């Protein structure tokens, strides 16, 4: 297998039911509109049903939306992720939405709140002690 074959071959981790199971289409480049660690926006237009394959590593917690409708993410070529898209124009959005990430954010915000309250209490107590010494 040549390295150019990787643009033409999609190996999925699980079997899926697709009406046109013999998908053959030339490689099409997608337009990357936005990229951040937890959100990716892509625009792509295809002439036939195909797979949009990202070179990012597959990781649980990601969700994909095709024109606003949630789409399943497949573990592809053993390590990367892809989604199945029908013929036409697609605005794809990948969003990292893990419950662990949400819990981590909540714990961080609570911790910051307690630290701020501790320093405010410490500062107020210090001011009270300083004021009582001056009298």
């Amino acid at each position: 297998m040549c390295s150019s074959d990787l643009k033409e071959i999609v190996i999925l981790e699980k079997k899926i039911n697709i009406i046109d199971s013999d998908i053959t289409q030339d490689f099409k480049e997608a337009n990357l509109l936005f990229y951040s660690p937890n959100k990716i926006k892509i625009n792509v237009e295809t002439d036939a049903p195909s797979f949009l394959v990202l070179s990012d590593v597959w990781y649980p917690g990601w969700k994909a939306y095709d024109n606003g409708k949630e789409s399943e993410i497949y573990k592809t070529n053993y390590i990367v992720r892809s989604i199945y898209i029908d013929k036409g124009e697609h605005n794809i959005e990948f969003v990292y939405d893990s419950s662990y990430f949400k819990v981590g954010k909540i714990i961080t915000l609570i911790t910051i709140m307690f630290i701020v309250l501790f320093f405010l209490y410490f500062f107020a107590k210090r001011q009270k002690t300083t004021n009582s010494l001056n009298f």
Side-chain angles (χ1 to χ4, degrees), residues 3 11-12 17 29 48 58 60 64 78 80 83 90 101 105 109 126 128:
S3 63
I11 302 169
L12 299 177
N17 295 324
E29 193 169 320
W58 180 93
Y78 304 105
V80 296
I83 63 168
H90 301 269
F101 182 68
K105 279 193 334 186
L109 290 173
R126 187 171 180 218
K128 186 177 180 183

Side-chain angles (χ1 to χ4, degrees), residues 5-19:
D5 290 342
L6 294 176
K7 288 184 177 179
E8 300 170 9
I9 296 174
V10 174
I11 302 169
L12 299 177
E13 183 178 72
K14 67 179 188 176
K15 186 175 181 173
I16 62 172
N17 295 324
I18 299 175
I19 296 169

Side-chain angles (χ1 to χ4, degrees), residues 5 30 42 47 52 61 66 72-73 93-94 107 110 116 128:
D5 290 342
I42 300 170
D47 299 331
L52 173 65
D66 181 1
E72 185 174 357
I73 299 176
E93 186 172 3
F94 288 88
I107 290 171
I110 290 171
V116 168
K128 186 177 180 183

